[in-house]
C-alpha cells in the first residue's frame, strides 16, 4: 500500500510513509480498507493532541460516504456551560435534538462506561431529580474547574433523552482506555435498562464488548432491539480474532451483529480493523463448513447489510 515491501521493518515502513507524506499515505491506507460508508463519532476532536479531520475532509480523503454519530455527553457538556441547575435538563434535551437534526445524524452514542459505569438505575429520572443532580454537578465543576459530566442521574437523563429521539443508541461496553473500570463496563449490567427501553423500540447497539462479548451476544439474542459489534476487539486480539467472533456467533443472531473498526487518529487503524474482520469472518465460515453462497450472505449481513438496515431505517421522532 505504501511501497514499503511485503514485510517491512518498522523503520522501513515509517520511511516509506514519510516519503509519501501524510495526505497521500492516509489516502492510500483508507482506500485499501475498501470501506463503503463510515459512521463517525464526532465526540472526539483530537488524537494525541493533534486535531482530527472534519467529516467533509475525511470523506474526500477516504472516498467513502460519511455520516455523523452524535456523542451525548459531548453535546450536553458544551450546551450546559451557561445553564442553571433548574434548566439543565431542558437545555441539554434541546441541544441534543438540535445537534442531531443539524448533522442529519445517523445515531447517537453514550460513553457512560467511561463517565460512571454501566451499573446505573435504569429508571427515567424525574425533572426534580435532574435539577438536583445538575446543582451538584455544577457546584463540583465550579469548585474543581473540571466540567466533565459524570453524575449518574444526569447520564441517565441523556440516555432517556436519546431513547425519546428513536435513533439507534451506541453504548460503549467492554475494554477501552485506562480511564474506565472494566468490570463496570460489562454490558449485562444494562439488562434492566434494556428491559425498560424495549417498549419504546429504540435500538441499542453494544459496542466492542470484549471480554464480555458472550454477555453482549446473549442480550442481542434475547431482546429484539439490541445489537452488538466486535469492532476494536478483533483489531486487538490478533490470532484469537476468529475464535472471538465465533464465540459471539454462538448466541447472537446473524442479523444482529455489526462490523466496525473503531478506528480514529491514524489511518492504519481503518485498514487493520477491516482486514481483521475479513480474516476472522473468512476463517469462521470456513471452519463452520458453510457453502460459499451462505458464507457470502452472512459476511454481507455482518459487514454491511445489518448496519444499513438499522441505521438508515430508524425514524427520528419529533
Amino acid at each position: 500500500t505504501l511501497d514499503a515491501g511485503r514485510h517491512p521493518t518498522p523503520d522501513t515502513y515509517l520511511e516509506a510513509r514519510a516519503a509519501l507524506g501524510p495526505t497521500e499515505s492516509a489516502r492510500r491506507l483508507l482506500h485499501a480498507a475498501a470501506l463503503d460508508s463510515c459512521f463517525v463519532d464526532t465526540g472526539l476532536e483530537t488524537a494525541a493532541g493533534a486535531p482530527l479531520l472534519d467529516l467533509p475532509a475525511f470523506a474526500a480523503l477516504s472516498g467513502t460516504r460519511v455520516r455523523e454519530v452524535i456523542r451525548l455527553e459531548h453535546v450536553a457538556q458544551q450546551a450546559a456551560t451557561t445553564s442553571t441547575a433548574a434548566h439543565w435538563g431542558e437545555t441539554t434535551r434541546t441541544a441534543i435534538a438540535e445537534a442531531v437534526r443539524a448533522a442529519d445524524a445517523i445515531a447517537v452514542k453514550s460513553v457512560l462506561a467511561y463517565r460512571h459505569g454501566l451499573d446505573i438505575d435504569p429508571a427515567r429520572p424525574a425533572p426534580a431529580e435532574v435539577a438536583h443532580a445538575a446543582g451538584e454537578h455544577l457546584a463540583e465543576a465550579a469548585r474543581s474547574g473540571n466540567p466533565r459530566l459524570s453524575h449518574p442521574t444526569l447520564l441517565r437523563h441523556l440516555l432517556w433523552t436519546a431513547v425519546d429521539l428513536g435513533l439507534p443508541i451506541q453504548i460503549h461496553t467492554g475494554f477501552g482506555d485506562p480511564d474506565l473500570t472494566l468490570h463496570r463496563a460489562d454490558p449485562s449490567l444494562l439488562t434492566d435498562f434494556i428491559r425498560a427501553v424495549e417498549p419504546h423500540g429504540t435500538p441499542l447497539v453494544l459496542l466492542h464488548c470484549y471480554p464480555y462479548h458472550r454477555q453482549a451476544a446473549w442480550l442481542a439474542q434475547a431482546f429484539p432491539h439490541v445489537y452488538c459489534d466486535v469492532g476494536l476487539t478483533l483489531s486487538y486480539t490478533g490470532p484469537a480474532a476468529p475464535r472471538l467472533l465465533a464465540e459471539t456467533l454462538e448466541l447472537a443472531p446473524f442479523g444482529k451483529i455489526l462490523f466496525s473498526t473503531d478506528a480514529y487518529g491514524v489511518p492504519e487503524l481503518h485498514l487493520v480493523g477491516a482486514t481483521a474482520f475479513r480474516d476472522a469472518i473468512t476463517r469462521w465460515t470456513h471452519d463452520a463448513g458453510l457453502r460459499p453462497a451462505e458464507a457470502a450472505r452472512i459476511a454481507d449481513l455482518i459487514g454491511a447489510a445489518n448496519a444499513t438496515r438499522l441505521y438508515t431505517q430508524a425514524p427520528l421522532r419529533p
Side-chain angles (χ1 to χ4, degrees):
T1 300
L2 300 186
D3 302 328
R6 187 168 178 79
H7 298 291
T9 65
D11 287 344
T12 299
Y13 177 83
L14 292 174
E15 288 170 3
R17 199 184 195 285
L20 289 170
T23 300
E24 177 59 16
S25 59
R27 187 192 67 78
R28 291 191 184 192
L29 290 161
L30 291 169
H31 280 257
L35 301 174
D36 176 77
S37 301
C38 291
F39 303 157
V40 181
D41 166 16
T42 52
L44 287 173
E45 298 177 332
T46 63
L52 297 175
L53 292 176
D54 61 25
L55 297 191
F58 178 75
L61 193 61
S62 65
T64 64
R65 293 174 291 184
V66 175
R67 297 291 300 276
E68 186 167 355
V69 177
I70 296 292
R71 184 177 294 198
L72 299 171
E73 295 83 2
H74 180 71
V75 172
Q77 207 164 283
Q78 290 184 321
T81 53
T82 59
S83 177
T84 64
H87 294 96
W88 197 96
E90 190 55 38
T91 296
T92 54
R93 183 185 297 277
T94 299
I96 289 168
E98 290 178 350
V100 164
R101 288 187 172 86
D104 190 23
I106 206 162
V108 298
K109 179 179 177 180
S110 171
V111 288
L112 171 68
Y114 282 97
R115 300 301 183 91
H116 171 75
L118 303 181
D119 47 344
I120 57 165
D121 181 344
R124 182 193 297 266
E129 291 181 81
V130 174
H132 179 74
E136 294 180 338
H137 165 67
L138 293 172
E140 173 60 23
R143 184 193 65 79
S144 66
N146 181 8
R148 182 179 174 87
L149 184 58
S150 59
H151 197 294
T153 300
L154 302 183
L155 295 170
R156 280 194 293 137
H157 165 73
L158 300 183
L159 282 175
W160 279 103
T161 294
V163 169
D164 292 339
L165 289 175
L167 289 179
I169 305 173
Q170 299 179 345
I171 303 175
H172 180 104
T173 71
F175 79 128
D177 297 329
D179 56 334
L180 62 70
T181 301
L182 185 58
H183 73 274
R184 298 180 69 188
D186 181 339
S188 65
L189 295 171
L190 289 169
T191 303
D192 287 341
F193 174 73
I194 288 168
R195 289 194 181 104
V197 172
E198 184 174 359
H200 299 265
T202 299
L204 303 176
V205 185
L206 307 175
L207 302 182
H208 318 319
C209 306
Y210 183 75
Y212 306 111
H213 51 292
R214 280 180 160 137
Q215 286 92 322
W218 173 77
L219 291 166
Q221 180 272 328
F223 295 96
H225 61 304
V226 175
Y227 299 76
C228 66
D229 84 4
V230 284
L232 185 62
T233 295
L234 303 184
S235 303
Y236 269 73
T237 52
R243 173 176 59 82
L244 296 172
L245 179 61
E247 289 172 356
T248 303
L249 287 163
E250 288 172 0
L251 277 177
F254 299 150
K256 303 292 284 298
I257 303 177
L258 310 173
F259 158 73
S260 74
T261 64
D262 197 53
Y264 85 104
V266 294
E268 281 86 349
L269 295 178
H270 295 269
L271 180 54
V272 168
T275 301
F277 168 73
R278 292 187 178 105
D279 288 350
I281 194 68
T282 299
R283 178 75 63 84
W284 179 81
T285 54
H286 176 270
D287 292 347
L290 298 180
R291 291 173 297 178
E294 185 66 5
R297 185 184 74 86
I298 294 171
D300 178 66
L301 282 174
I302 299 173
N306 292 339
T308 299
R309 183 180 68 254
L310 173 65
Y311 289 114
T312 63
Q313 295 182 8
L316 177 63
R317 299 180 192 136

